[in-house]
Amino acid sequence: MLSREDNELICRVGPGTPMGNLMREYWVPALLSKELPGPDCDPVRVMLLGERLIAFRDTLGRVGLIQNHCPHRGASFFFGRTGECGIRCVYHGWQFDINGNCIDMPNEPAESDFRHKVKAVTYPCVERGGLVWTYMGPRETPPPLPDIEINMLPEDEIAIIPSYVESNWLQAVEGEIDTSHTGFLHFGSIQPEDVEEGTFLHYTVKDRAPKYSVVDTEYGTMYGAYRPAKPGYVYWRIAHFNFPFYTQPPEGALGHSVIMNAWVPMDDTHTMSYVMVRKGKSETGRPARLPIQGDSEKYPDMHVPMLPNTSGWFGRFRPAVNATNDYLIDRDVQRNGDDYSGIQYLASQDRAVQESMGGIYDRTQERLASSDVMVIRVRRRLLGAARALAEKAVIPPGVDNPEVYRNRSGGVLLPEGADWIEDTKELRQAFVEHPEIAEQQPQP
């Protein structure tokens, strides 16, 4: 468990906080490119690291991210007029470009040079892989973007699934790096005899208490969760935490699966999730819900339904299955054993437990066990990096070394006694194709 002081330090991300300052050292996903569909389109409200910002696309197609309040009298730029390579406050017509320069002040005398003395806070933006990235840190020249494989592929090969999570960012990250919950929350009602022998799912439900090996890396932390497989072999689930808030879950076969999940803090108690996967047989590369025995028509394999977006600060990409309807839990399905949780969708199952902890869970109340070793190690790394930056100005891991993000995750069978780190080195390398891997191992 964490002390109260450490729990506050690791969870709070607003301006001036140690963890907020750490995250501002990195490029951060701000929104999807398609949310700004064309030059001079409607502005979008964006809550990011505790700051209220307005995203807009100018006449040349460039993206700007500007402070919410006009520097003149504080009216919101959300109501602004886009055009003429800027955004114009409708209160008095002051216009600003994507760099925060005031380029027109029509209610002042023509001979006035006052506009040259007024500047709005803006953050530089770049687009890559369907995402708008922004740098909110102190450097005049930002660091390079991270070499995240999935974000560097052609856009037609990428599926991005955005989703609003009503909890602190760390609860979402910790849910993703906790591999033992898979055999319960998601697969708890599936028995070994219900699935094909030799599949990853078979090994998972046959032994729901894996052992762990965890190591620190240049980019964060890596774990290998292992359990017995066919005679003479061990099934390994290898996954990563990447600074400051990325996870690569062990979905699919190691060497074939290309995935990265970003858990971007909107503020201390709201998170925007971006699941980025390489398109495959399904749009997302992952099942929207897990298989159950029984009525497949009642629980179809489909995406979590979403509510229509609104223009509010927390109005984007909200799941229709949420706390207000108890995540549509079906107690009959839960009781009769068709589904362990009784909640239909995989993502909704995760969201239900993470959001049920509250906005920021009081980790002084935890009782951690051996299965929480990855959670413990990641917390130590985050706290250590935040304190090193605050106290000694040590640049956090990966900021200036984009190549350290070139990793893959997934499941793999290794002979008993194998060195899991050395023997998976090639399979864990990004941008290396292994066409034979996809057909070797049946997937759940």
Side-chain angles (χ1 to χ4, degrees):
M1 65 180 179
L2 291 179
S3 68
R4 198 169 302 280
E5 176 188 2
D6 283 351
N7 197 41
E8 287 288 306
L9 189 155
I10 203 170
C11 292
R12 303 289 182 184
V13 296
T17 62
M19 191 58 62
N21 289 344
L22 180 142
M23 291 188 177
R24 285 167 174 79
E25 293 287 325
Y26 299 85
W27 284 92
V28 178
L31 70 163
L32 302 181
S33 290
K34 67 182 183 182
E35 292 185 75
L36 298 170
D40 298 331
C41 60
D42 296 345
V44 176
R45 288 188 176 105
V46 176
M47 178 74 79
L48 195 58
L49 300 184
E51 295 188 41
R52 295 188 173 197
L53 305 167
I54 303 298
F56 68 98
R57 193 181 291 277
D58 75 4
T59 311
L60 300 178
R62 302 172 300 180
V63 176
L65 198 60
I66 194 168
Q67 66 184 65
N68 177 44
H69 298 292
C70 176
H72 180 206
R73 296 271 298 281
S76 175
F77 278 120
F78 174 75
F79 301 105
R81 298 167 58 95
T82 53
E84 305 171 285
C85 282
I87 187 166
R88 190 182 294 275
C89 178
V90 295
Y91 200 3
H92 299 93
W94 290 18
Q95 186 183 33
F96 294 81
D97 65 15
I98 63 169
N99 298 311
N101 300 309
C102 185
I103 56 177
D104 191 23
M105 200 174 277
N107 68 333
E108 289 294 300
E111 64 274 14
S112 171
D113 67 348
F114 185 53
R115 67 182 180 88
H116 299 296
K117 301 176 182 178
V118 177
K119 194 172 177 71
V121 174
T122 57
Y123 295 114
C125 295
V126 297
E127 295 181 82
R128 190 180 73 182
L131 286 176
V132 174
W133 295 78
T134 189
Y135 177 70
M136 303 170 70
R139 298 188 185 188
E140 232 177 273
T141 301
L145 267 71
D147 285 359
I148 294 174
E149 180 181 15
I150 185 63
N151 184 246
M152 299 172 74
L153 297 179
E155 284 192 43
D156 61 359
E157 296 181 22
I158 305 169
I160 304 178
I161 303 94
S163 185
Y164 165 76
V165 183
E166 198 166 352
S167 76
N168 181 257
W169 70 279
L170 189 61
Q171 282 156 224
V173 166
E174 291 179 348
E176 190 84 308
I177 61 177
D178 168 16
T179 192
S180 71
H181 85 271
T182 304
F184 299 93
L185 180 65
H186 303 316
F187 295 146
S189 293
I190 300 176
Q191 301 306 312
E193 59 269 22
D194 299 331
V195 291
E196 181 184 349
E197 283 196 40
T199 62
F200 289 171
L201 179 56
H202 178 79
Y203 302 136
T204 297
V205 298
K206 189 176 179 180
D207 183 350
R208 302 180 197 266
K211 296 181 174 62
Y212 301 86
S213 180
V214 178
V215 294
D216 290 339
T217 64
E218 294 176 290
Y219 54 84
T221 308
M222 175 174 67
Y223 76 75
Y226 58 99
R227 45 169 64 90
K230 62 185 181 180
Y233 284 83
V234 176
Y235 168 42
W236 287 84
R237 286 169 59 85
I238 297 172
H240 312 277
F241 164 76
N242 304 261
F243 273 92
F245 43 55
Y246 302 104
T247 56
Q248 289 174 277
E251 296 181 1
L254 185 64
H256 177 72
S257 178
V258 181
I259 186 169
M260 183 70 85
N261 297 346
W263 306 95
V264 182
M266 301 174 78
D267 62 10
D268 292 343
T269 56
H270 303 85
T271 302
M272 186 62 72
S273 162
Y274 297 99
V275 175
M276 298 173 277
V277 295
R278 181 163 59 177
K279 291 180 180 177
K281 292 181 181 179
S282 66
E283 182 184 350
T284 66
R286 64 191 292 179
R289 72 152 286 104
L290 297 161
I292 63 170
Q293 295 173 271
D295 190 355
S296 60
E297 291 184 2
K298 186 174 182 181
Y299 289 108
D301 182 8
M302 61 183 288
H303 297 308
V304 179
M306 304 296 284
L307 297 171
N309 277 3
T310 73
S311 60
W313 294 109
F314 302 107
R316 300 159 52 231
F317 307 115
R318 298 166 300 147
V321 181
N322 55 51
T324 65
N325 51 36
D326 293 324
Y327 308 92
L328 300 180
I329 187 169
D330 188 325
R331 294 294 187 182
D332 290 335
V333 168
Q334 188 186 62
R335 287 190 190 96
N336 67 27
D338 277 350
D339 188 87
Y340 194 80
S341 69
I343 297 172
Q344 182 174 352
Y345 304 100
L346 180 150
S348 299
Q349 294 165 4
D350 286 326
R351 186 173 290 106
V353 295
Q354 292 159 12
E355 294 183 347
S356 71
M357 300 175 187
I360 297 179
Y361 180 62
D362 180 3
R363 290 175 175 80
T364 66
Q365 302 301 307
E366 290 179 323
R367 296 298 179 266
L368 300 181
S370 60
S371 58
D372 300 307
V373 60
M374 179 65 172
V375 170
I376 294 168
R377 185 70 68 89
V378 168
R379 290 178 185 178
R380 288 176 180 170
R381 292 231 65 193
L382 284 165
L383 288 167
R387 288 195 170 105
L389 176 64
E391 298 168 7
K392 301 178 182 177
V394 176
I395 302 303
V399 169
D400 291 314
N401 307 100
E403 69 281 357
V404 301
Y405 290 87
R406 294 180 167 226
N407 305 294
R408 287 183 181 173
S409 58
V412 64
L413 296 182
L414 295 177
E416 291 179 352
D419 183 331
W420 74 279
I421 298 176
E422 188 60 34
D423 292 348
T424 63
K425 191 173 183 179
E426 184 177 347
L427 291 176
R428 287 186 284 109
Q429 290 181 2
F431 302 102
V432 178
E433 292 304 321
H434 301 276
E436 75 285 358
I437 295 292
E439 302 304 324
Q440 276 185 3
Q441 176 60 52
Q443 298 298 302

